[in-house]
Amino acid sequence: MNGRVRSASTREALLDASTGLLSGFLYLSYVLSFAFLLPVQHAFAGRGRRSGLAAAAWSLLVIIAGQAVRMFELRTGDILIALAGILPPAALIAALAFINLKVGKLSSGAKILIAAAALSIIAAPLLMRVTADEGFSAFLTESIGSTMSASGLGADSNAYIGEAVKSAITVLQSAFAPLLLATLAASWWLGSVQAARRAIRGGTADASLLESLRLDTVRVPNVALWPTLLCWAGLFAALATGQTGLLRAAAWNLALCAASLYAVQGLGVLSHLSRQFNATRILRLAAPLAVMTALLSATAGAVILIALPLVGITEVWFPYRTIKGALK
C-alpha cells in the first residue's frame, strides 16, 4: 500500500516537473511565450493547488536559468535587463496562483480583475522606465536578431527588427494593462477548459463541470457601465488635449481594459446566438479566421476590436440573448 502511494506521489511529482518545464520552455521560445501559463493552469485545475504551485515553481526556475544563459551569451550583466526578463513571468505566475487560491467569497472573475489591476499598478512605473531606455531596445533587437540568425530566418534584418521593436514598445505602453488582463483571463479559462474536458474523458467528472466555463454565460455586471463610459471619455479628453507620457498611457490602458470586458461579453452574445440558432460549427470556423484577419490587417483588426465591445455594451439596452424567431 505504501509502495503504491509513493509511486503515485512520484508520478505526480514528475508530472508537475514536466508541466513546469514545458511552461518555462514556452516562455523562452518567444514565439509561443503567450501560452506559457496554460500548462500551469492545467495543473491547478486538473490536479489541485499543490500540483499547480509545484509546476509554477519549476516554470520559474527554467525561466531564470534560460534568462541567465541568454545574458551570458550576450555578455551583459545589466541588472535592469535581468529584471525585465525575469520579473514579468514571475509576476504572471504569482497572479495565476492567486487566482487559483481560495480568497474569501471572491469569484474567479473578480480575482482575475484584482490580479490584473495589481500587476498593472506595480508594473507601470518600471515598464515606462524600461521601455524609455534605449539600451533595452537595443538589447531586444540584438537578442531577437541573434535568435533569428541562429534559426536561419535572417541574418541581416536588425534594422527591420529595430523598427518592429519600437512599434511594439509603443503598443506595450498603451495596452500593457489589457494585455495582462487578457493573458490571465485567457490562460485561466483555456487551461481550466482543457482540464475539465480531460477529466470528463477520463470519467472522473461529468459534463456539468464545463457549464460554468461556457462563454455564452458571461455577463459584465451592470455596475461597470458608467465607469466604462467614464474611461472612454477620459481617453477622448487625453487625445483631444494632446496629453503624453504616463497620463496618456493610463488613459489608453483604462479605456482598453474597460473595452476588453465588454468584448468578452460580446463573445458571450455571439456564442449564445450560435447555440440558439444551431450555428456553433460556423462560429468555430469563423473565430480563427477572424483572428487571422485581425493579425494580417490592421483595419480589420480595428473593426473587430470595436465591434465586439459595442455588441457587449449595447446588450445593456438590447436583450440579444432572448431573441427568438424563425431562425431558431
Side-chain angles (χ1 to χ4, degrees):
M1 184 69 174
N2 290 335
R4 285 198 296 270
V5 171
R6 283 196 298 269
S7 178
S9 179
T10 301
R11 284 197 300 270
E12 183 175 343
L14 290 174
L15 187 56
D16 295 340
S18 61
T19 300
L21 290 174
L22 173 60
S23 172
F25 286 130
L26 284 174
Y27 182 82
L28 295 172
S29 69
Y30 284 130
V31 177
L32 298 174
S33 59
F34 64 90
F36 90 103
L37 290 176
L38 284 177
V40 178
Q41 176 57 32
H42 191 282
F44 270 115
R47 301 193 299 276
R49 295 188 186 97
R50 188 173 69 175
S51 288
L53 291 172
W58 277 105
S59 176
L60 187 57
L61 285 174
V62 171
I63 291 170
I64 292 173
Q67 295 294 353
V69 170
R70 281 181 178 165
M71 292 188 68
F72 177 77
E73 290 176 346
L74 295 172
R75 298 179 181 179
T76 179
D78 192 328
I79 188 63
L80 189 61
I81 292 174
L83 291 176
I86 295 172
L87 285 182
L92 286 169
I93 289 172
L96 190 66
F98 166 76
I99 294 167
N100 283 279
L101 296 177
K102 186 175 181 180
V103 183
K105 295 182 179 181
L106 290 177
S107 65
S108 295
K111 286 185 285 186
I112 289 171
L113 289 175
I114 291 171
L119 287 184
S120 299
I121 293 171
I122 294 171
L126 179 62
L127 178 71
M128 296 300 291
R129 178 186 172 189
V130 169
T131 53
D133 186 356
E134 293 184 1
F136 177 69
S137 299
F139 166 75
L140 284 181
T141 301
E142 185 178 353
S143 181
I144 296 173
S146 62
T147 301
M148 292 181 66
S149 298
S151 61
L153 296 177
D156 301 315
S157 55
N158 275 6
Y160 301 103
I161 295 173
E163 290 301 318
V165 166
K166 289 180 181 178
S167 298
I169 286 175
T170 300
V171 172
L172 184 60
Q173 289 176 340
S174 300
F176 66 88
L179 286 174
L180 285 171
L181 178 59
T183 298
L184 291 174
S187 298
W188 175 84
W189 184 74
L190 289 172
S192 298
V193 167
Q194 290 171 358
R197 287 175 176 169
R198 183 170 182 176
I200 292 170
R201 288 195 302 268
T204 58
D206 55 43
S208 63
L209 185 61
L210 282 172
E211 288 300 308
S212 62
L213 298 171
R214 283 169 40 186
L215 274 178
D216 57 346
T217 63
V218 174
R219 291 180 184 270
V220 177
N222 290 335
V223 70
L225 176 61
W226 284 107
T228 295
L229 295 177
L230 286 174
C231 287
W232 292 352
L235 174 61
F236 177 78
L239 295 176
T241 56
Q243 298 296 324
T244 59
L246 187 59
L247 186 60
R248 182 188 179 98
W252 266 112
N253 279 279
L254 287 172
L256 290 175
C257 278
S260 66
L261 294 180
Y262 282 100
V264 174
Q265 180 161 320
L267 286 173
V269 170
L270 295 179
S271 179
H272 173 83
L273 294 178
S274 71
R275 291 171 66 92
Q276 186 177 15
F277 298 141
N278 296 319
T280 304
R281 290 185 179 180
I282 296 176
L283 183 63
R284 287 177 180 174
L285 291 173
L289 290 175
V291 172
M292 291 181 63
T293 303
L295 291 175
L296 295 174
S297 170
T299 302
V303 170
I304 292 172
L305 291 176
I306 292 172
L308 282 177
L310 284 178
V311 170
I313 200 167
T314 53
E315 192 182 17
V316 174
W317 299 281
F318 302 102
Y320 299 122
R321 303 189 211 208
T322 58
I323 291 176
K324 297 180 181 180
L327 292 176
K328 186 174 179 181

